[in-house]
Amino acid sequence: MDTALTSRACPATLHVQLPSSAQAARQARQGVVRILALEMEGAPCPRSVAEDILLVVSELVTNAVLHADGPYALTFSLEKGRAGIAVSDGSGDLSGHHDGTQRIGPGGRGLNIIRALGADLFVCPSDHGKQVIAVLTWGTSPNHGP
């Protein structure tokens, strides 16, 4: 696993290449947990927000692995009052539509969950595909308090 970790800086950042497997979301969450643990000593992120961040990471990485070609990477940035989560994949499709097949069974609610948590979502092209970016803010929100 290729990992770059910067802590005690503003912002604290993590960049990690992810596998093309079901282990990708777990690996991404583990990296983010390390950053959150280091930074929570100074209490920049309430526990409830940290839980939301981990859910967003899991949803974005899972979506990438299920619906796009690799390679996959996570870039996570944490600073006072804001977290940025960017998941890169090898698909240049910015439409948000998948391969046209009809889903059978549960699923299909990930981006709605992310939006319900108050995240701003962006999709932009990258050198080798696209990035899906979620930004969570807190401190003045009635949902998460100071």
Side-chain angles (χ1 to χ4, degrees), residues 10-132:
C10 190
T13 58
L14 166 77
H15 181 77
V16 60
Q17 299 295 320
L18 299 169
S20 299
S21 70
Q23 300 303 313
R26 181 176 59 88
Q27 200 169 332
R29 285 189 307 272
Q30 288 172 339
V32 170
V33 164
R34 288 195 320 255
I35 289 278
L36 290 170
L38 291 171
E39 295 301 316
M40 286 183 84
E41 293 172 10
C45 180
R47 182 173 302 280
S48 63
V49 175
E51 291 168 0
D52 291 351
I53 289 169
L54 292 172
L55 179 56
V56 170
V57 167
S58 188
E59 290 292 337
L60 289 181
V61 171
T62 299
N63 281 350
V65 172
L66 287 177
H67 303 296
D69 296 327
Y72 310 102
L74 166 73
T75 302
F76 175 71
S77 177
L78 179 66
E79 60 187 282
K80 185 176 183 179
R82 182 172 46 210
I85 303 148
V87 175
S88 303
D89 63 51
S91 171
D93 180 8
L94 304 179
S95 71
H97 300 290
H98 306 304
D99 61 7
T101 60
Q102 186 173 6
R103 177 180 295 278
I104 299 173
R109 294 178 291 275
L111 295 180
N112 290 333
I113 291 169
I114 293 169
R115 286 185 191 102
L117 294 172
D120 293 318
L121 277 171
F122 309 91
V123 180
C124 59
S126 68
D127 291 341
H128 304 288
K130 72 173 174 300
Q131 277 193 327
V132 180

Side-chain angles (χ1 to χ4, degrees), residues 1-14:
M1 168 173 63
D2 245 354
T3 302
L5 180 65
T6 305
S7 182
R8 301 289 182 209
C10 190
T13 58
L14 166 77

